[in-house]
């Protein structure tokens, strides 16, 4: 898709890529930009969505899972898959290139809750604030075809497997 940052954070990342591209072109330096999508894995801070949901599902004192909105869909990539892509990119000889690193699949907040509850064998009710964030993009999917072709990389860990690793390795 055409790059069209819709908030200051996204715009700052795009500007950083443009600086890298300029530097590569002007000074002949090889630059590889990795765009990791929603990274998750064991040890992630509790302020992030997946650990928050896992903690609510596991907690005996919390009877209802609470989230802002069930509908946003994001592309989640397990940390080990991101590390594999980073290692492969070290040898990249392109003057300037950008790789999207994700799973190529989008998963909703509702889906995340279902996967976690299924794994922990619970059926807690879910309460949503139906609160959309400003400039929310409803469905984000990484096009990982370039990383597959040029880096010979693709994710190995499914979302369900990643959730199991988080639950049983913490």
């Amino acid at each position: 898709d055409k790059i069209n940052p819709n908030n200051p954070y996204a715009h700052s990342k795009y500007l950083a890529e443009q600086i890298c591209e300029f530097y590569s072109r002007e000074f002949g330096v090889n630059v590889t930009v990795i765009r990791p999508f929603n990274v998750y894995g064991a040890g992630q801070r509790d302020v992030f969505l997946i650990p928050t949901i896992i903690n609510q599902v596991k907690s005996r004192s919390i009877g209802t899972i609470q989230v802002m909105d069930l509908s946003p869909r994001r592309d989640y990539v397990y940390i080990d898959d991101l590390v594999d892509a980073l290692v492969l990119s070290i040898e990249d000889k392109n003057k300037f290139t950008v790789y999207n690193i994700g799973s190529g699949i989008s998963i909703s907040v509702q889906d995340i809750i279902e996967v976690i509850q299924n794994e922990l064998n619970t059926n807690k009710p879910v309460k949503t604030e139906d609160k959309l964030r400003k400039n929310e993009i409803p469905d984000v999917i990484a096009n990982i075809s370039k990383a597959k072709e040029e880096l010979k990389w693709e994710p190995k860990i499914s979302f369900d497997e990643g959730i199991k690793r988080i639950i049983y390795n913490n």
Side-chain angles (χ1 to χ4, degrees):
D1 287 342
K2 181 178 177 259
I3 297 175
N4 186 21
N6 67 340
N7 61 57
Y9 174 68
H11 194 79
S12 70
K13 292 186 346 180
Y14 180 58
L15 291 173
E17 286 180 11
Q18 289 180 313
I19 291 168
C20 289
E21 183 175 21
F22 174 84
Y23 198 86
S24 175
R25 185 178 62 245
E26 293 299 314
F27 300 104
V29 175
N30 294 346
V31 176
T32 301
V33 174
I34 298 293
R35 290 182 186 151
F37 278 61
N38 292 69
V39 182
Y40 72 106
Q44 188 173 32
R45 291 190 344 231
D46 289 345
V47 298
F48 289 93
L49 178 66
I50 291 173
T52 297
I53 294 171
I54 290 172
N55 290 338
Q56 290 182 68
V57 172
K58 284 176 138 181
S59 174
R60 296 183 196 278
S61 63
I62 297 173
T64 303
I65 299 165
Q66 294 188 288
V67 293
M68 287 178 55
D69 188 6
L70 293 171
S71 62
R73 301 182 66 84
R74 296 290 176 265
D75 187 320
Y76 290 90
V77 61
Y78 195 74
I79 185 66
D80 293 3
D81 285 329
L82 172 59
V83 170
D84 288 346
L86 291 169
V87 169
L88 290 169
S89 75
I90 291 169
E91 298 300 320
D92 194 11
K93 300 297 181 207
N94 289 307
K95 284 293 178 196
F96 176 81
T97 194
V98 177
Y99 296 108
N100 292 328
I101 303 300
S103 66
I105 301 166
S106 67
I107 299 170
S108 72
V109 175
Q110 176 79 43
D111 296 334
I112 294 169
I113 293 169
E114 289 173 9
V115 167
I116 293 168
Q117 291 220 79
N118 286 340
E119 187 56 40
L120 291 170
N121 199 27
T122 63
N123 191 22
K124 291 184 177 184
V126 177
K127 181 180 177 188
T128 178
E129 299 172 26
D130 288 324
K131 188 175 185 179
L132 296 175
R133 293 187 302 179
K134 186 177 180 173
N135 297 324
E136 181 82 67
I137 299 171
D139 195 359
V140 177
I141 304 171
N143 178 345
I144 59 174
S145 59
K146 185 175 176 183
K148 283 181 173 183
E149 181 182 324
E150 294 181 12
L151 293 177
K152 308 299 183 226
W153 172 89
E154 62 184 303
K156 297 175 187 149
I157 300 164
S158 71
F159 186 77
D160 289 14
E161 176 60 29
I163 292 299
K164 287 177 186 175
R165 289 181 182 202
I166 294 169
I167 289 171
Y168 301 116
N169 289 327
N170 272 354

